[in-house]
Each structure stands twice: as structure tokens, then as C-alpha cells.
Amino acid sequence: MFRDLFGSHRPALHVTELTSEHVPMASAIHAASFARTWGTLELERMIASEAIFADGVFAGGSNTLLGFALSRLVVDEAEILTIAVSPDARGHGAGRALLTHHLAHLARRGARNVFLEVDEGNEPALALYRHAHFTEIGRRPGYYPKADGSSATAITMRASLD
Ligand SMILES: CC(C)(COP(=O)(O)OP(=O)(O)OC[C@H]1O[C@@H](n2cnc3c(N)ncnc32)[C@H](O)[C@@H]1OP(=O)(O)O)[C@@H](O)C(=O)NCCC(=O)NCCS
């Protein structure tokens, strides 16, 4: 389906604040992206929270959610809790458009620093974050349990929005 939306070239994308209308699609994208899934109720609760800011990326004028980002803001520090793009829609710039708009949204709400954690082996996510000027500030070995019983290191990253 997303191939139809994109065709052979980069699509026009728009990013807007996520509402409860988008929660079922966001929950499905989360389930397709992570081992630990968030149910619709959990997402509804998060979006309703005053400390949480969530944005979704859509193709052209469509109302089909391609991906979403969700962060918690406390005073002037934000933490990206999740960012995910539907597997079929990856590699077309949706993640970059989403993160750019999401960071601008957080800045408008008063964020000066943004933090996140990422698996050291997650190359697409690392490329996305580096492009947005996130830099490594720490490592947590053994942070992410893996299906084969081993564990992966988490890299903590920070970006200044000043
Ligand atoms: C990380 C993710 C959101 C990126 O979304 P996307 O729409 O594919 O991203 P884009 O197409 O905008 O590409 C962003 C960057 O990643 C790079 N990239 C995309 N797919 C890649 C791949 N398979 N391998 C390496 N780099 C890749 C792009 O080249 C681009 O880098 P650049 O800005 O230096 O050119 C997406 O891969 C995803 O949802 N992954 C699963 C969930 C996840 O891991 N989230 C992050 C948790 S910390």
C-alpha cells in the first residue's frame, strides 16, 4: 500500500499532532516495530497526558499514519520515548521529516535539551539521530535483552535545541 502512495519518488509528507483518532494505527506501527508493544489503551493514556507530546507523519493529503514520535517533556528537558515508521514506509524520508517537526514542536513547548536511548546496533535510528545533531553522551551495556538470550548496549544521546 505504501509503495502505491510513494510511487518511484519521494512523497510529499506532512506532520501533525497525533490525536486519539490515530491511536489504532499508531499502536499497529508500534507493534510492527518493537518486541514490547503498546496497546491502544496505553497509547490513549499517554497522548492524554499533559507532559506528553506526540506527532504523526502522513503521506500527502492522506489520513493514513506512516509513523509517529512521542516524547515526555519536563520543564525544559524532553525524552523521546518512541519513534517508529511503518516497515513498508521506511527509507523514504518519513522518519527524518517526522523527527525534524517533532523537535521543532518540542522547542516551541520549551524544550532546550532532548534525550533518547538507542540500541547500538540500530543503524537506521542512529543515522536518523545523527542527522538531527544528536550526539552520544553515554552507554549502558546489557540494557536491551535480545531474543537469543544475549543483550545489547544502549547508547544515550542528547541534542541541544538552543
Ligand atoms: C528509525 C526509523 C524511525 C527511521 O525511519 P525512516 O522513515 O526509515 O527514516 P528515513 O527514511 O527518514 O531515513 C533516516 C536516516 O536513516 C537512514 N536509513 C534508513 N534506512 C536505513 C537502513 N536500513 N540502514 C541504514 N540506514 C538507514 C537514511 O539513510 C537516513 O540517513 P541520512 O539522514 O543520513 O540520509 C525506522 O527505521 C523505524 O521505524 N525503525 C524501527 C523502530 C526503531 O528502531 N525506532 C528507533 C528506536 S530508538
Side-chain angles (χ1 to χ4, degrees):
M1 177 171 80
F2 296 113
R3 212 151 308 203
D4 297 341
L5 286 171
F6 290 148
S8 57
H9 55 277
R10 286 202 163 201
L13 298 163
H14 75 272
V15 181
T16 185
E17 213 160 332
L18 210 65
T19 67
S20 55
E21 167 196 5
H22 305 120
V23 161
M25 285 188 285
S27 178
I29 290 170
H30 195 274
S33 303
F34 300 104
R36 186 195 169 283
T37 63
W38 288 352
T40 52
L41 202 61
E42 198 171 356
L43 262 174
E44 288 272 12
R45 282 204 193 110
M46 284 179 141
I47 286 173
S49 161
E50 286 188 359
I52 299 285
F53 296 91
D55 293 295
V57 59
F58 302 82
S62 99
N63 198 32
T64 303
L65 187 69
L66 303 180
F68 73 103
L70 190 145
S71 297
R72 180 186 295 122
L73 177 64
V74 179
V75 192
D76 60 359
E77 290 197 348
E79 182 188 5
I80 297 182
L81 301 180
T82 202
I83 180 165
V85 168
S86 178
D88 288 355
R90 289 177 194 161
H92 295 277
R96 198 193 283 189
L98 173 62
L99 184 59
T100 301
H101 283 76
H102 189 60
L103 293 176
H105 183 181
L106 292 172
R108 284 197 304 278
R109 301 296 184 136
R112 298 185 67 188
N113 286 293
V114 184
F115 298 84
L116 59 83
E117 258 152 13
V118 55
D119 183 328
E120 66 172 349
N122 191 342
E123 286 302 332
L126 284 167
L128 179 69
Y129 299 143
R130 286 182 185 130
H131 184 88
H133 306 294
F134 278 85
T135 54
E136 179 176 333
I137 56 166
R139 282 178 178 248
R140 294 187 192 197
Y143 188 72
Y144 293 113
K146 293 170 95 170
D148 64 5
S150 65
S151 59
T153 295
I155 298 179
T156 305
M157 302 183 95
R158 183 183 75 92
S160 165
L161 301 183
D162 285 341

